[in-house]
Each structure stands twice: as structure tokens, then as C-alpha cells.
Short mmCIF file of all heavy atoms in Angstrom, two decimals:
data_model
loop_
_atom_site.label_atom_id
_atom_site.label_comp_id
_atom_site.label_asym_id
_atom_site.label_seq_id
_atom_site.Cartn_x
_atom_site.Cartn_y
_atom_site.Cartn_z
N MET A 1 0.85 -1.23 -0.01
CA MET A 1 0.01 -0.01 0.01
C MET A 1 0.87 1.27 0.00
O MET A 1 1.89 1.31 0.66
CB MET A 1 -0.88 0.00 1.24
CG MET A 1 -2.20 -0.74 1.01
SD MET A 1 -3.19 -0.82 2.50
CE MET A 1 -3.75 0.88 2.67
N THR A 2 0.43 2.22 -0.74
CA THR A 2 1.16 3.47 -0.75
C THR A 2 0.52 4.45 0.22
O THR A 2 -0.66 4.72 0.14
CB THR A 2 1.18 4.10 -2.15
OG1 THR A 2 -0.17 4.17 -2.60
CG2 THR A 2 1.99 3.26 -3.11
N SER A 3 1.32 4.88 1.15
CA SER A 3 0.77 5.84 2.11
C SER A 3 0.99 7.25 1.63
O SER A 3 2.09 7.60 1.25
CB SER A 3 1.44 5.64 3.48
OG SER A 3 2.83 5.80 3.36
N ALA A 4 -0.07 7.99 1.60
CA ALA A 4 0.07 9.39 1.15
C ALA A 4 0.88 10.18 2.13
O ALA A 4 0.65 10.13 3.32
CB ALA A 4 -1.34 10.01 0.98
N GLU A 5 1.80 10.90 1.57
CA GLU A 5 2.61 11.74 2.46
C GLU A 5 1.76 12.92 2.95
O GLU A 5 1.01 13.51 2.20
CB GLU A 5 3.82 12.29 1.69
CG GLU A 5 4.99 11.33 1.74
CD GLU A 5 6.23 11.93 1.06
OE1 GLU A 5 6.57 13.07 1.41
OE2 GLU A 5 6.80 11.28 0.20
N PRO A 6 1.92 13.24 4.20
CA PRO A 6 1.16 14.40 4.71
C PRO A 6 1.63 15.67 4.02
O PRO A 6 2.83 15.89 3.83
CB PRO A 6 1.50 14.44 6.20
CG PRO A 6 2.76 13.65 6.34
CD PRO A 6 2.77 12.64 5.22
N GLU A 7 0.68 16.47 3.64
CA GLU A 7 1.01 17.72 2.96
C GLU A 7 1.79 18.64 3.88
O GLU A 7 1.41 18.82 5.04
CB GLU A 7 -0.26 18.43 2.51
CG GLU A 7 -0.63 18.08 1.07
CD GLU A 7 -1.81 18.90 0.61
OE1 GLU A 7 -1.76 20.14 0.71
OE2 GLU A 7 -2.79 18.32 0.16
N ALA A 8 2.84 19.19 3.37
CA ALA A 8 3.62 20.13 4.17
C ALA A 8 2.80 21.38 4.39
O ALA A 8 2.33 22.01 3.45
CB ALA A 8 4.91 20.46 3.48
N VAL A 9 2.62 21.71 5.64
CA VAL A 9 1.87 22.93 5.94
C VAL A 9 2.79 24.14 5.74
O VAL A 9 3.87 24.20 6.33
CB VAL A 9 1.32 22.88 7.38
CG1 VAL A 9 0.58 24.18 7.70
CG2 VAL A 9 0.47 21.67 7.59
N SER A 10 2.34 25.01 4.90
CA SER A 10 3.18 26.20 4.64
C SER A 10 3.35 26.98 5.95
O SER A 10 2.43 27.17 6.72
CB SER A 10 2.52 27.08 3.58
OG SER A 10 1.20 27.41 3.99
N ALA A 11 4.54 27.43 6.13
CA ALA A 11 4.85 28.17 7.36
C ALA A 11 3.92 29.37 7.50
O ALA A 11 3.67 30.10 6.53
CB ALA A 11 6.29 28.63 7.35
N SER A 12 3.41 29.54 8.67
CA SER A 12 2.47 30.65 8.88
C SER A 12 3.22 31.98 8.69
O SER A 12 4.28 32.19 9.26
CB SER A 12 1.87 30.56 10.26
OG SER A 12 2.89 30.41 11.24
N GLU A 13 2.62 32.84 7.89
CA GLU A 13 3.22 34.12 7.68
C GLU A 13 2.37 35.22 8.32
O GLU A 13 2.53 35.52 9.47
CB GLU A 13 3.40 34.37 6.18
CG GLU A 13 4.50 33.46 5.61
CD GLU A 13 4.41 33.39 4.09
OE1 GLU A 13 3.77 34.26 3.47
OE2 GLU A 13 4.99 32.44 3.53
N ASP A 14 1.46 35.73 7.53
CA ASP A 14 0.62 36.79 8.11
C ASP A 14 -0.74 36.26 8.55
O ASP A 14 -1.62 37.01 8.94
CB ASP A 14 0.44 37.94 7.10
CG ASP A 14 -0.11 37.40 5.78
OD1 ASP A 14 -0.16 36.19 5.61
OD2 ASP A 14 -0.50 38.23 4.95
N THR A 15 -0.92 34.93 8.45
CA THR A 15 -2.21 34.35 8.84
C THR A 15 -2.18 33.82 10.26
O THR A 15 -3.15 33.27 10.73
CB THR A 15 -2.58 33.21 7.89
OG1 THR A 15 -1.55 32.26 7.90
CG2 THR A 15 -2.81 33.72 6.49
N GLU A 16 -1.06 34.04 10.94
CA GLU A 16 -0.97 33.53 12.29
C GLU A 16 -1.76 34.40 13.25
O GLU A 16 -1.65 35.62 13.20
CB GLU A 16 0.50 33.46 12.74
CG GLU A 16 0.67 32.69 14.04
CD GLU A 16 2.14 32.53 14.38
OE1 GLU A 16 2.87 31.97 13.53
OE2 GLU A 16 2.54 32.96 15.43
N ALA A 17 -2.53 33.78 14.09
CA ALA A 17 -3.33 34.54 15.06
C ALA A 17 -3.44 33.74 16.34
O ALA A 17 -3.32 32.53 16.35
CB ALA A 17 -4.69 34.84 14.48
N THR A 18 -3.66 34.44 17.42
CA THR A 18 -3.86 33.78 18.68
C THR A 18 -5.15 34.31 19.30
O THR A 18 -5.56 35.45 19.05
CB THR A 18 -2.68 34.05 19.64
OG1 THR A 18 -2.46 35.45 19.73
CG2 THR A 18 -1.42 33.35 19.16
N CYS A 19 -5.75 33.47 20.10
CA CYS A 19 -7.00 33.84 20.77
C CYS A 19 -6.74 35.05 21.68
O CYS A 19 -5.81 35.05 22.45
CB CYS A 19 -7.53 32.64 21.57
SG CYS A 19 -8.97 33.06 22.54
N ALA A 20 -7.59 36.07 21.57
CA ALA A 20 -7.40 37.30 22.34
C ALA A 20 -7.67 37.06 23.80
O ALA A 20 -7.32 37.91 24.63
CB ALA A 20 -8.31 38.40 21.79
N THR A 21 -8.30 35.95 24.16
CA THR A 21 -8.62 35.70 25.56
C THR A 21 -7.64 34.76 26.21
O THR A 21 -7.07 35.08 27.26
CB THR A 21 -10.05 35.12 25.69
OG1 THR A 21 -10.97 36.06 25.16
CG2 THR A 21 -10.40 34.83 27.14
N CYS A 22 -7.42 33.61 25.62
CA CYS A 22 -6.60 32.59 26.27
C CYS A 22 -5.23 32.43 25.59
O CYS A 22 -4.36 31.74 26.11
CB CYS A 22 -7.33 31.26 26.35
SG CYS A 22 -7.48 30.42 24.77
N GLY A 23 -5.04 33.02 24.43
CA GLY A 23 -3.73 32.98 23.77
C GLY A 23 -3.48 31.71 22.97
O GLY A 23 -2.37 31.50 22.47
N ALA A 24 -4.49 30.88 22.82
CA ALA A 24 -4.33 29.66 22.04
C ALA A 24 -4.23 30.00 20.55
O ALA A 24 -4.85 30.95 20.10
CB ALA A 24 -5.50 28.70 22.28
N PRO A 25 -3.43 29.25 19.78
CA PRO A 25 -3.33 29.54 18.35
C PRO A 25 -4.65 29.31 17.67
O PRO A 25 -5.38 28.36 17.94
CB PRO A 25 -2.27 28.53 17.87
CG PRO A 25 -2.06 27.56 18.95
CD PRO A 25 -2.56 28.16 20.22
N VAL A 26 -4.98 30.21 16.75
CA VAL A 26 -6.25 30.14 16.01
C VAL A 26 -5.94 29.89 14.54
O VAL A 26 -5.12 30.57 13.94
CB VAL A 26 -7.05 31.46 16.14
CG1 VAL A 26 -8.30 31.43 15.29
CG2 VAL A 26 -7.39 31.71 17.61
N GLU A 27 -6.58 28.87 13.98
CA GLU A 27 -6.40 28.57 12.55
C GLU A 27 -7.24 29.53 11.75
O GLU A 27 -8.45 29.37 11.67
CB GLU A 27 -6.74 27.14 12.27
CG GLU A 27 -5.78 26.15 12.90
CD GLU A 27 -6.12 24.71 12.54
OE1 GLU A 27 -6.49 24.49 11.37
OE2 GLU A 27 -6.04 23.86 13.42
N THR A 28 -6.59 30.48 11.12
CA THR A 28 -7.35 31.52 10.44
C THR A 28 -7.85 31.06 9.08
O THR A 28 -8.63 31.76 8.47
CB THR A 28 -6.47 32.77 10.26
OG1 THR A 28 -5.22 32.40 9.67
CG2 THR A 28 -6.22 33.45 11.60
N ASP A 29 -7.41 29.85 8.60
CA ASP A 29 -7.96 29.40 7.33
C ASP A 29 -9.27 28.65 7.55
O ASP A 29 -9.93 28.25 6.60
CB ASP A 29 -6.94 28.52 6.58
CG ASP A 29 -6.45 27.39 7.45
OD1 ASP A 29 -6.64 27.46 8.69
OD2 ASP A 29 -5.88 26.46 6.91
N GLU A 30 -9.63 28.48 8.81
CA GLU A 30 -10.93 27.91 9.11
C GLU A 30 -11.78 29.00 9.78
O GLU A 30 -11.26 29.97 10.30
CB GLU A 30 -10.79 26.72 10.04
CG GLU A 30 -10.10 25.54 9.38
CD GLU A 30 -9.97 24.37 10.35
OE1 GLU A 30 -10.59 24.39 11.41
OE2 GLU A 30 -9.19 23.47 10.03
N TRP A 31 -13.10 28.76 9.82
CA TRP A 31 -13.95 29.74 10.44
C TRP A 31 -13.66 29.80 11.95
O TRP A 31 -13.44 28.78 12.58
CB TRP A 31 -15.42 29.36 10.24
CG TRP A 31 -16.33 30.43 10.78
CD1 TRP A 31 -16.82 31.51 10.11
CD2 TRP A 31 -16.82 30.52 12.12
NE1 TRP A 31 -17.58 32.27 10.96
CE2 TRP A 31 -17.60 31.70 12.18
CE3 TRP A 31 -16.68 29.73 13.25
CZ2 TRP A 31 -18.24 32.09 13.35
CZ3 TRP A 31 -17.30 30.15 14.42
CH2 TRP A 31 -18.07 31.30 14.48
N HIS A 32 -13.66 30.97 12.47
CA HIS A 32 -13.42 31.14 13.90
C HIS A 32 -14.13 32.40 14.35
O HIS A 32 -14.34 33.33 13.58
CB HIS A 32 -11.91 31.24 14.19
CG HIS A 32 -11.26 32.39 13.50
ND1 HIS A 32 -10.87 32.31 12.19
CD2 HIS A 32 -10.96 33.63 13.90
CE1 HIS A 32 -10.33 33.46 11.82
NE2 HIS A 32 -10.37 34.30 12.86
N PRO A 33 -14.53 32.44 15.62
CA PRO A 33 -15.18 33.64 16.13
C PRO A 33 -14.23 34.83 16.07
O PRO A 33 -13.03 34.70 16.31
CB PRO A 33 -15.52 33.29 17.59
CG PRO A 33 -15.42 31.80 17.68
CD PRO A 33 -14.43 31.40 16.64
N ALA A 34 -14.76 35.97 15.76
CA ALA A 34 -13.93 37.17 15.71
C ALA A 34 -14.76 38.36 16.21
O ALA A 34 -15.98 38.32 16.27
CB ALA A 34 -13.44 37.42 14.29
N ALA A 35 -14.04 39.40 16.55
CA ALA A 35 -14.70 40.62 16.98
C ALA A 35 -13.80 41.79 16.60
O ALA A 35 -12.59 41.63 16.44
CB ALA A 35 -14.97 40.59 18.49
N SER A 36 -14.42 42.94 16.46
CA SER A 36 -13.61 44.12 16.15
C SER A 36 -13.70 45.07 17.30
O SER A 36 -14.75 45.20 17.97
CB SER A 36 -14.10 44.77 14.86
OG SER A 36 -15.47 45.17 14.99
N THR A 37 -12.64 45.73 17.57
CA THR A 37 -12.61 46.70 18.65
C THR A 37 -11.87 47.94 18.18
O THR A 37 -11.00 47.89 17.33
CB THR A 37 -11.95 46.10 19.89
OG1 THR A 37 -12.01 47.06 20.94
CG2 THR A 37 -10.50 45.75 19.64
N LYS A 38 -12.23 49.07 18.75
CA LYS A 38 -11.55 50.31 18.41
C LYS A 38 -10.49 50.60 19.41
O LYS A 38 -10.72 50.53 20.63
CB LYS A 38 -12.57 51.47 18.33
CG LYS A 38 -13.11 51.68 16.96
CD LYS A 38 -13.79 53.05 16.84
CE LYS A 38 -14.31 53.25 15.41
NZ LYS A 38 -14.98 54.55 15.30
N ARG A 39 -9.32 50.89 18.92
CA ARG A 39 -8.24 51.22 19.83
C ARG A 39 -8.31 52.71 20.17
O ARG A 39 -9.11 53.44 19.62
CB ARG A 39 -6.92 50.87 19.19
CG ARG A 39 -6.84 49.40 18.80
CD ARG A 39 -5.42 48.96 18.54
NE ARG A 39 -4.67 49.88 17.70
CZ ARG A 39 -3.70 49.51 16.88
NH1 ARG A 39 -3.38 48.24 16.78
NH2 ARG A 39 -3.02 50.34 16.16
N GLY A 40 -7.42 53.08 21.03
CA GLY A 40 -7.42 54.48 21.50
C GLY A 40 -7.23 55.48 20.38
O GLY A 40 -7.79 56.58 20.40
N ASP A 41 -6.45 55.10 19.34
CA ASP A 41 -6.20 56.04 18.25
C ASP A 41 -7.29 55.99 17.19
O ASP A 41 -7.15 56.59 16.13
CB ASP A 41 -4.83 55.78 17.65
CG ASP A 41 -4.68 54.35 17.16
OD1 ASP A 41 -5.64 53.58 17.31
OD2 ASP A 41 -3.60 53.99 16.65
N GLY A 42 -8.34 55.19 17.43
CA GLY A 42 -9.44 55.13 16.48
C GLY A 42 -9.32 54.04 15.45
O GLY A 42 -10.25 53.79 14.70
N ALA A 43 -8.17 53.37 15.40
CA ALA A 43 -7.98 52.28 14.43
C ALA A 43 -8.78 51.06 14.87
O ALA A 43 -8.82 50.72 16.06
CB ALA A 43 -6.51 51.94 14.30
N VAL A 44 -9.42 50.39 13.89
CA VAL A 44 -10.19 49.20 14.20
C VAL A 44 -9.26 48.01 14.18
O VAL A 44 -8.50 47.78 13.23
CB VAL A 44 -11.33 49.01 13.16
CG1 VAL A 44 -12.08 47.71 13.45
CG2 VAL A 44 -12.27 50.18 13.23
N GLN A 45 -9.33 47.20 15.26
CA GLN A 45 -8.50 46.02 15.35
C GLN A 45 -9.39 44.79 15.35
O GLN A 45 -10.42 44.75 16.03
CB GLN A 45 -7.70 46.07 16.66
CG GLN A 45 -6.71 44.93 16.77
CD GLN A 45 -5.90 45.02 18.07
OE1 GLN A 45 -6.31 45.73 18.99
NE2 GLN A 45 -4.81 44.31 18.14
N ILE A 46 -9.03 43.80 14.51
CA ILE A 46 -9.79 42.57 14.46
C ILE A 46 -9.19 41.58 15.43
O ILE A 46 -7.99 41.30 15.39
CB ILE A 46 -9.79 41.98 13.04
CG1 ILE A 46 -10.33 42.98 12.02
CG2 ILE A 46 -10.58 40.67 12.99
CD1 ILE A 46 -11.78 43.35 12.24
N LEU A 47 -10.02 41.05 16.31
CA LEU A 47 -9.56 40.06 17.29
C LEU A 47 -10.08 38.68 16.88
O LEU A 47 -11.21 38.55 16.43
CB LEU A 47 -10.06 40.41 18.68
CG LEU A 47 -9.60 41.77 19.20
CD1 LEU A 47 -10.31 42.10 20.52
CD2 LEU A 47 -8.10 41.83 19.41
N SER A 48 -9.25 37.69 17.08
CA SER A 48 -9.65 36.32 16.79
C SER A 48 -9.80 35.53 18.08
O SER A 48 -9.09 35.78 19.06
CB SER A 48 -8.62 35.64 15.90
OG SER A 48 -8.50 36.35 14.67
N PHE A 49 -10.74 34.58 18.07
CA PHE A 49 -10.94 33.75 19.28
C PHE A 49 -10.99 32.30 18.87
O PHE A 49 -11.46 31.96 17.78
CB PHE A 49 -12.24 34.14 19.97
CG PHE A 49 -12.29 35.61 20.34
CD1 PHE A 49 -12.88 36.51 19.52
CD2 PHE A 49 -11.71 36.05 21.52
CE1 PHE A 49 -12.93 37.87 19.84
CE2 PHE A 49 -11.76 37.38 21.87
CZ PHE A 49 -12.35 38.30 21.02
N CYS A 50 -10.54 31.42 19.76
CA CYS A 50 -10.51 30.00 19.45
C CYS A 50 -11.89 29.37 19.64
O CYS A 50 -12.16 28.32 19.11
CB CYS A 50 -9.47 29.28 20.32
SG CYS A 50 -9.89 29.27 22.08
N ASP A 51 -12.76 30.04 20.38
CA ASP A 51 -14.02 29.43 20.73
C ASP A 51 -15.06 30.52 21.06
O ASP A 51 -14.70 31.66 21.35
CB ASP A 51 -13.84 28.50 21.94
CG ASP A 51 -14.87 27.39 21.92
OD1 ASP A 51 -15.86 27.49 21.19
OD2 ASP A 51 -14.65 26.40 22.67
N HIS A 52 -16.31 30.14 21.03
CA HIS A 52 -17.38 31.08 21.39
C HIS A 52 -17.23 31.54 22.83
O HIS A 52 -17.45 32.69 23.14
CB HIS A 52 -18.76 30.42 21.22
CG HIS A 52 -19.17 30.31 19.79
ND1 HIS A 52 -19.58 31.38 19.05
CD2 HIS A 52 -19.24 29.24 18.97
CE1 HIS A 52 -19.87 30.99 17.84
NE2 HIS A 52 -19.68 29.69 17.74
N SER A 53 -16.87 30.61 23.72
CA SER A 53 -16.81 30.96 25.15
C SER A 53 -15.72 32.00 25.37
O SER A 53 -15.87 32.88 26.22
CB SER A 53 -16.51 29.73 25.98
OG SER A 53 -15.33 29.07 25.53
N CYS A 54 -14.64 31.93 24.59
CA CYS A 54 -13.59 32.93 24.74
C CYS A 54 -14.05 34.29 24.23
O CYS A 54 -13.70 35.31 24.81
CB CYS A 54 -12.32 32.48 24.00
SG CYS A 54 -11.29 31.36 24.97
N ARG A 55 -14.86 34.28 23.18
CA ARG A 55 -15.38 35.57 22.70
C ARG A 55 -16.33 36.16 23.73
O ARG A 55 -16.32 37.37 23.98
CB ARG A 55 -16.09 35.39 21.35
CG ARG A 55 -16.44 36.72 20.75
CD ARG A 55 -17.11 36.57 19.42
NE ARG A 55 -18.36 35.82 19.52
CZ ARG A 55 -19.18 35.60 18.48
NH1 ARG A 55 -18.85 36.04 17.30
NH2 ARG A 55 -20.29 34.92 18.64
N ASP A 56 -17.18 35.32 24.31
CA ASP A 56 -18.10 35.81 25.32
C ASP A 56 -17.32 36.38 26.51
O ASP A 56 -17.68 37.43 27.04
CB ASP A 56 -19.00 34.67 25.81
CG ASP A 56 -19.97 34.24 24.70
OD1 ASP A 56 -20.11 35.01 23.71
OD2 ASP A 56 -20.59 33.18 24.85
N ARG A 57 -16.26 35.68 26.90
CA ARG A 57 -15.47 36.14 28.05
C ARG A 57 -14.83 37.50 27.74
O ARG A 57 -14.78 38.37 28.58
CB ARG A 57 -14.40 35.11 28.37
CG ARG A 57 -14.24 34.89 29.85
CD ARG A 57 -13.23 33.79 30.11
NE ARG A 57 -13.74 32.48 29.70
CZ ARG A 57 -12.99 31.39 29.69
NH1 ARG A 57 -11.72 31.45 30.03
NH2 ARG A 57 -13.50 30.22 29.33
N TRP A 58 -14.36 37.64 26.48
CA TRP A 58 -13.78 38.92 26.10
C TRP A 58 -14.80 40.02 26.12
O TRP A 58 -14.53 41.13 26.58
CB TRP A 58 -13.15 38.78 24.73
CG TRP A 58 -12.67 40.10 24.18
CD1 TRP A 58 -11.48 40.70 24.45
CD2 TRP A 58 -13.40 40.98 23.32
NE1 TRP A 58 -11.41 41.90 23.79
CE2 TRP A 58 -12.57 42.10 23.10
CE3 TRP A 58 -14.65 40.92 22.70
CZ2 TRP A 58 -12.97 43.16 22.29
CZ3 TRP A 58 -15.04 41.98 21.91
CH2 TRP A 58 -14.21 43.07 21.69
N GLN A 59 -16.02 39.71 25.66
CA GLN A 59 -17.07 40.74 25.64
C GLN A 59 -17.43 41.16 27.05
O GLN A 59 -17.66 42.34 27.31
CB GLN A 59 -18.32 40.20 24.94
CG GLN A 59 -18.36 40.61 23.48
CD GLN A 59 -19.51 39.97 22.73
OE1 GLN A 59 -20.03 38.97 23.12
NE2 GLN A 59 -19.89 40.57 21.63
N GLU A 60 -17.45 40.21 27.97
CA GLU A 60 -17.77 40.55 29.36
C GLU A 60 -16.70 41.48 29.92
O GLU A 60 -17.00 42.41 30.65
CB GLU A 60 -17.87 39.28 30.19
CG GLU A 60 -19.14 38.52 29.95
CD GLU A 60 -19.11 37.14 30.63
OE1 GLU A 60 -18.33 36.98 31.58
OE2 GLU A 60 -19.88 36.27 30.22
N ARG A 61 -15.44 41.20 29.59
CA ARG A 61 -14.36 42.06 30.08
C ARG A 61 -14.41 43.43 29.47
O ARG A 61 -14.08 44.42 30.11
CB ARG A 61 -13.02 41.42 29.72
CG ARG A 61 -12.59 40.34 30.70
CD ARG A 61 -11.15 39.98 30.43
NE ARG A 61 -10.84 38.63 30.88
CZ ARG A 61 -9.66 38.05 30.64
NH1 ARG A 61 -8.76 38.65 29.94
NH2 ARG A 61 -9.42 36.83 31.11
N ALA A 62 -14.80 43.49 28.19
CA ALA A 62 -14.77 44.77 27.47
C ALA A 62 -15.83 45.73 27.95
O ALA A 62 -15.70 46.93 27.79
CB ALA A 62 -14.89 44.51 25.97
N GLU A 63 -16.88 45.18 28.52
CA GLU A 63 -17.97 46.07 28.95
C GLU A 63 -17.69 46.71 30.28
O GLU A 63 -16.92 46.24 31.03
CB GLU A 63 -19.28 45.26 29.01
CG GLU A 63 -19.84 45.06 27.62
CD GLU A 63 -21.04 44.11 27.66
OE1 GLU A 63 -21.51 43.81 28.78
OE2 GLU A 63 -21.48 43.68 26.59
ZN1 ZN B 1 -9.45 31.04 23.57
#
């Protein structure tokens, strides 16, 4: 039997993200919870979360 070689995952470049709440790596090529927040200088920042619960936790903190 020929075993298929695992595809080499391209090194993460600008798609690397971490959960804004717990810091776990987030796979940005798959769907993931996200939220936008305004920073002090007015720039909009997109936050990524590994899970719904982490996004909820972030929202509770932000309020
Ligand atoms: Zn998380």
C-alpha cells in the first residue's frame, strides 16, 4: 500500500493569530469567532478567538 505523504503545511506568515482571551493559536484558514474593537487612536482592530466561550469572556471584560 502506498501511504500518502502528509502535505507540508506552509509556514504561517501573516495568517498567524492567537486567541485574544486565552492565547491559544487560532487557525485563520478555518472559520473562527472574531470581533472588532476600536483602539485608542481610532484604528479598528480585528480580534480572533478559538471558541465562542472565549469571545463571550472577552465581551464581558470589554464592557
Ligand atoms: Zn481562547
Side-chain angles (χ1 to χ4, degrees):
M1 273 176 71
T2 52
S3 58
E5 274 184 50
E7 266 186 54
V9 179
S10 56
S12 51
E13 289 164 17
D14 55 350
T15 56
E16 191 174 303
T18 53
C19 175
T21 299
C22 71
V26 176
E27 291 183 40
T28 51
D29 54 344
E30 292 180 13
W31 185 91
H32 60 278
S36 61
T37 183
K38 267 196 180 179
R39 302 197 314 210
D41 56 0
V44 176
Q45 185 179 17
I46 303 296
L47 300 172
S48 300
F49 303 95
C50 66
D51 208 344
H52 284 287
S53 56
C54 276
R55 188 178 61 177
D56 291 347
R57 222 176 290 172
W58 172 83
Q59 264 175 337
E60 285 171 21
R61 278 191 203 174
E63 282 172 11

